[in-house]
Amino acid sequence: MTGVNRLDGGLIDRTKPMRFTFDGIGFTGFEGDTLASALLANDVRLMGRSFKYHRPRGPMTSGSEEPNALVALRSGARKEPNTRATTAELFAGLSATSQNRWPSLRWDAMAVNDRLSQFFAAGFYYKTFMWPAAFWEKVYEPIIRRAAGLGTLSHEPDPDSYDKGFLHCDLLVIGTGPSGLMAALTAARAGADVIIADEDFLPGGRLSAETHMIEGQSGAAWAAASVAELQALPNVRVMTRSTVIGAFDHGIYGVVERVSDHLKEPFAGKPRQILWRVYSKRAILAAGATERPIVFENNDRPGIMLASAVRAYVNRWAVTPARQVAIFTNNDDGHRTARDLAAKGVDVTAVIDTRLDAPTSADYQVIAGGVVVQTWGRLGLTQIEVRTPKGESLRIPCGALGVSGGWNPNVHLTCHQGARPVWNDTIAAFVPGNSLPPGLIPTGAADGAFSTYEALSSGQKAAHVALSDLGIPHKVSDLPEAEDAPVNITPFWHVASAKRAWVDQQNDVTAKDVQLAHQENFVSVEHLKRYTTLGMATDQGKTSNTAGLAIMADIAGKSIPEVGTTMFRPPYTPTAIGVLAGRARDEDFRPIRKTPSHVWAEEQGAVFVEVGMWLRAQWFPKPGETHWRQSVDREVLQTRKSVGICDVTTLGKIDVQGTDAAAFLNKVYCNGFAQLPVGRTRYGLMLREDAIAMDDGTAARLAEDHFVVTTTTANAVPVYRHMEFVRQCLFPDMDVQLISTTEAWAQFAVAGPKSRALLQQIIDPPFDISNDAFPFMACAEITVTGGLRARLFRISFSGELAFEIAVPTRYGDALMRRMMDVGAGFDVVAYGTEALSVMRIEKGHAAGNELNGTTTALNLGMGRMVSKKKDAIGSTLSEREGLTEGDALKLVGLKPVDPDHNVPAGAHLMTKGATVSAANDQGYVTSACFSPNLGCHIGLAYLKSGDSRMGEIIRLVSPLTGVDHDVEVVSAHFVDPKGERLRA
Amino acid sequence: MLIHHPLLGPRDASEFVYKGDAALIHRPDWQSEDAQAQFADYGYLRDNPAGPLRELWFHEQGDRSWLVVTRDTTSHEITSVELASDVARREARAT
Amino acid sequence: MRYSGFNVIKQALSGHKGWGPAWRDVTPKESYDYVIIGGGGHGLATAYYLAKQFKQSRIAVLEKGWIGGGNVGRNTTIIRSNYLLDGNQPFYEFSLQLWEGLEQELNYNAMVSQRGILNLIHSDAQRDAFIRRGNAMILHGADAELLSTRQILRRYPFLNVNNARFPIQGGLAQHRGGTVRHDAVAWGYARAADQCGVDIIQNCEVTGFRIENGTCLGVETTQGFIGTKKVAACVAGSSSRLMALAGMRLPIESHVLQAFVSEGLKPVLPGVITFGAGHFYCSQSDKGGLVFGGDIDGYNSYAQRGNLPVVEDVCEGGMAIFPMLGRARLLRMWGGIMDMSMDGSPIIDKTHIDGLYFNGGWCYGGFKATPASGYVYAHLLATDTPHHTAAAYRFDRFAKGRMIDEKGVGNQPNLH
């Protein structure tokens, strides 16, 4: 069961047969086959349906530029829609299904579109579907959407994993055809570090598909020998199944390696694909060229292919697409296919060459000056009609027609940094232009040098240029003998008399559509493309752009370069989103940062919450507690009654050292720090240069030239960045150094009436933390538990008598356990971020919700903290009129009038009695909680002129959540407003 | 992109954080007559050239130095990289 | 000829010969009353409303390339009016209402699809912020709804809820938000403006302003000098280099934003969805491609392309909420030039030069603003007073301390 269309020879391994299925039917192929070659071997030409008209289609190409033979590979969670059968490597057990057809490939109900095609001309949908207005979303759009798209995504998570890697080299060679191999050999033999990559699984480029000889051996054998030499060299990395998807700045290339797409499943633990970032000093684009077809009547039937694809199937895969094959060409290259077919005993029924001076042959008839004007065979080509220069009409039987309209150099990567390709009349194609990505040298067919010898020669030359640039000495060696046929092409793009001729086969854009675009003044290449969708399908116009331009040029009476050319952008071929995401998915999407007491907290059964990338204990439920409020209320009450401990390591800490440390902090904080005594801490408000409050915290002066600054958790990184900016860029002459110590110190808040007593159990004598010796806002470097160095700060976020104690991080866990242990005697409770939040709201402390990036010191009620006596970041712009309006927002507290009501964050505030509308908006609630101390919900809010509206009853509204009730404006300092407990 | 750090050699730009025009080094004198206008200009108006631009990058995942990078905004070509503190000392007013 | 289903059928049956140019090819006159620089969505919309709504004439639109070739042709097509601040929300709501009637107004099917936009919530703080925003939307007369995770899963059953690093906790939805076929907007406004007598002049680049005694007399272009009473600049990411020709510096930096489209797929995403714990937003075009994007690259650029780190970041965000996305393929990526302003909000204002007006600073949010931007700019040009929804978009708001800063990040454009 070798397949009826198999020929002798080829580069497949007949000792490894493989069973596979397509649309449920089983077939056999061989290792080395693609799905397309194996299907063609089994006489299957029909592989897909086109996008708009659902016309039956077969493969047009043998490579990644394929527009038609798109199948769904695999099923279930691994299903890959829109897979090109022409590049899908065959593996045993492969299962593929056709797309975009119902109920079957052979009989597709939507093919009715083809009969109604005149109604579906380019852009028709812009001219209709507007009435009635409501029908767009309800009727028209759902139909259009269901008809659109080709493949279906399974809704299941992608089960495969993807890796990312980084590679460095002197020279990246893109392509393993003759030019690329020659370049790599030249550079590698000179000792350069070389990476050579090819998207194909078999290196060799076109050599695998042609019958050229190189230095007496077959091109394929020469390629194999070259690859073997390269693979044996320690300074070379050969990457197959690896597509260079983009040329990014500064010699950085993205390369996607398909590690296991040719296997039924990835090996256990191995990724499906890898995204390599290659840092190259120089790069050579040896990406070859892609053939383009000619446009003629019904030129899209299964069996009509590029002539070079027919040749590839014959020579590399030992498959003829049909028993009788014809050729339609405008250049010498098309004849190669006829010769190769004839050499393998395939019946070449005609070569139709548009040139009157076409070369003749003894082996098959050549119709010089002929054009194909009609084709038959809806589900597979059966015959064509040719018009001769004399006006005769000939019917030629054929099951496949190889079409050659010339070759387009694969210039794509040269355009990734904005360069436009330029038109070359000799080969009638675009070639790389000027201002290429720095360091990238195009060679071989990619540069318009089409013969094998030219490819070898230009590859060697490019390598020499690169080696010279890199300062690597090298010798010039002889080039192997190879064919050097010139390009003989007479441009012929389309048969003008055709009524239905396809330019972009996937999107069903016809020559008539190009005509219509011109008629409606969409004449620039940009407009042509967008209006007709030519070149916008999954093949990105690789085989259709040039014909589209040529037809437009014809109609508009311009030259092709005058019409223009579209830009090529990454990725070179469509790339799995999974490989671009890599391992950063699911729980590994971002790192998890854990506090020093995390393990201890887990042991206590804490509930955790994300705070940025940190996991912090939110509350510690005790047995019997079923609702979070029970835990949080308990933690709050117990802390305020005896003592509570909270891990506050996540807050930013920055060490500031130097003789100018105080002067530096004076610049960074809007309030004064120059006179802060040693051993004291001060609250600091940091403004942005635009006077908006950026962050707040404390600065503790441990020595004349040593401060410790704290920040909020969220701003630890940005504040540090900002402080370094101020230090390095604004005041570079100050003697001050900074370092972030957030992760270096474990820090705990110990708060409540018994906090001093607890700490006295661990602080090494003779250090005295009585109220006289260590008053509110004192700080010191001390030792605890018999010699462990620590820092102690008497600061309070909760409003209770409180301290924060810091030890080197690696002792954090032990300290937490020790304090909880000795604290048992003082009724200690561990509290989480929720209780922390409740207490600071009860105290009226601003936090992240209040410092939301749009509020000033004035809004916070700290206007007077902005010193006018010194220069600090933000002070000058704080005086702008917009920031000092009479009715500026002010931070206030809110209490519900009805104690059963809440005060939801995000609610807006209206004056009582005013209509609920934006015009009457007076402010908004920033923070809210249930206060177990007050026995009701409370909140903090910004209210216009809030500080002079104490006691006023206003209306709190949240229409989004259906809340509308009265609240009383009160002081934000709900608990201990006089600060007596703080100072105890 | 690659930034050739004057001390550390070539580093991937993703190790850095971008701030903006290096003109930010030239902070106005708070005591000048029209200080507010000068600060508004300094804070809000930019040349934003299509061409070479001196800009500030912070090596956040490296040595935490601020760099002044001269880069063409149309081609992304980088022609010079200096330590910002060197530039600041050389160019800015005394505090 | 009027666009209608009837005419589509009639033309189809007679070989499509009746369709004429969507807009005329015109050589510029020596002078106009209004010259609009920039043939993108905003410029064309301005010309249309200036002619149709404000009954002005002698209007020209100058486009240095082909109309619609800039950001209007390359965006992620989202429309919405879910802004927080008083300076913004009325404007975007006005724009959404104009979108709702646009096709009938222009007689062009721009495929305005109000399929809904959903902003996912991943933390309490985020929920609070979204509640504040949803309330602002409702107070300003727009629609908003807070959805639970369960409600969301009914519409998006494939969202990652079991293994997410930052689990979804709900979302803020605006049902009237959605997508539009972006190219059609440019073409629709161009055709309608052309039918009102506006001259659309392509391949005409402005190379200078003729300014005498503080008054702008016209523009120097690659097709010669064009005199006019009023010049309206409307060029998005090119604003700084254009206005530099008038000696102006702007509160704008030009940055690259990358956008992405996948291969065409059968319908899978019903609406527009944004990820709240990373930079990623996504919708599905009517042709089947998933259209998605994320954050700007972060450095000033006019190169219209970006680098790999953002591509990876965006795809990571996509995989975080749709793990099925791994099997879909990125088809094409491109970059535009965003005019990032100093507070993330636009500027639509006169300049200090008589007769020279400015519209820019749209950051990456200009597409949804297209109809309203055109309308209010036409209002300003015709009446010399700002439309009430755009009254705060002034140049002097920065010096005066009246910033309109949705994100709260201050005077650093790349943070907006």
Side-chain angles (χ1 to χ4, degrees), chain A residues 423-715:
Chain A
W423 185 254
N424 179 307
D425 276 322
T426 311
I427 60 171
F430 284 102
V431 297
N434 308 315
S435 69
L436 301 178
L440 179 65
I441 309 168
T443 63
D447 199 32
F450 286 160
S451 78
T452 311
Y453 186 78
E454 278 184 306
L456 294 167
S457 158
S458 63
Q460 185 189 66
K461 206 150 98 193
H464 286 158
V465 170
L467 289 168
S468 299
D469 284 351
L470 295 166
I472 298 177
H474 50 278
K475 295 193 291 258
V476 182
S477 41
D478 289 333
L479 288 166
E481 273 182 17
E483 65 85 25
D484 195 12
V487 172
N488 267 329
I489 179 172
T490 304
F492 186 96
W493 304 100
H494 67 125
V495 179
S497 58
K499 294 196 179 46
R500 293 194 81 202
W502 271 260
V503 185
D504 181 320
Q505 293 203 11
Q506 190 175 128
N507 272 354
D508 275 332
V509 180
T510 62
K512 280 265 174 345
D513 289 327
V514 178
Q515 157 74 37
L516 185 61
H518 177 264
Q519 190 178 311
E520 297 192 67
N521 208 7
F522 291 92
V523 294
S524 78
V525 62
E526 290 288 339
H527 286 161
L528 166 65
K529 172 183 171 178
R530 287 150 186 286
Y531 190 62
T532 63
T533 75
L534 190 161
M536 293 177 75
T538 64
D539 63 319
Q540 292 288 287
K542 290 199 170 94
T543 52
S544 54
N545 277 339
T546 332
L549 292 174
I551 295 170
M552 177 59 87
D554 243 1
I555 301 171
K558 299 186 173 164
S559 69
I560 289 177
E562 277 172 339
V563 176
T565 179
T566 48
M567 283 300 293
F568 297 105
R569 296 188 188 277
Y572 175 65
T573 51
T575 299
I577 289 171
V579 76
L580 294 164
R583 294 265 178 187
R585 47 178 294 197
D586 299 326
E587 278 117 355
D588 290 335
F589 170 65
R590 286 291 177 265
I592 297 177
R593 303 178 78 180
K594 295 182 182 176
T595 64
S597 65
H598 186 92
V599 170
W600 177 85
E602 271 185 327
E603 290 167 11
Q604 311 312 308
V607 170
F608 291 91
V609 68
E610 283 97 12
V611 180
M613 288 200 263
W614 293 98
L615 276 185
R616 298 187 72 181
Q618 202 174 11
W619 58 80
F620 296 83
K622 288 262 185 285
E625 287 175 346
T626 51
H627 188 273
W628 63 270
R629 270 276 310 278
Q630 294 172 297
S631 315
V632 175
D633 288 356
R634 171 182 51 76
E635 289 172 19
V636 171
L637 289 169
Q638 200 168 336
T639 301
R640 291 209 188 280
K641 184 150 168 270
S642 48
V643 55
I645 303 180
C646 180
D647 189 327
V648 296
T649 304
T650 64
L651 278 79
K653 305 180 233 359
I654 301 168
D655 245 53
V656 183
Q657 301 188 15
T659 55
D660 290 327
F664 175 75
L665 290 181
N666 236 17
K667 291 287 188 188
V668 155
Y669 286 119
C670 66
N671 52 324
F673 277 81
Q675 308 302 324
L676 183 65
V678 174
R680 286 291 177 273
T681 310
R682 179 170 294 166
Y683 175 78
L685 181 64
M686 219 179 268
L687 305 180
R688 294 195 306 234
E689 193 71 86
D690 66 353
I692 301 299
M694 171 168 62
D695 199 57
D696 68 345
T698 57
R701 193 169 202 166
L702 297 178
E704 198 64 38
D705 59 354
H706 185 192
F707 287 78
V708 175
V709 163
T710 70
T711 79
T712 59
T713 299
N715 286 331

Side-chain angles (χ1 to χ4, degrees), chain A residues 362-422:
Chain A
D363 298 319
Y364 43 79
Q365 72 161 324
V366 175
I367 305 171
V371 291
V372 176
V373 294
Q374 187 55 271
T375 73
W376 287 269
R378 192 168 163 74
L379 296 179
L381 186 68
T382 54
Q383 66 173 327
I384 60 176
E385 179 180 333
V386 176
R387 193 175 64 228
T388 70
K390 296 205 198 89
E392 294 169 313
S393 197
L394 302 172
R395 296 277 173 107
I396 313 252
C398 53
L401 176 68
V403 184
S404 179
W407 288 78
N408 290 331
N410 290 334
V411 302
H412 311 69
L413 258 64
T414 64
C415 304
H416 283 182
Q417 293 182 22
R420 290 198 175 263
V422 296

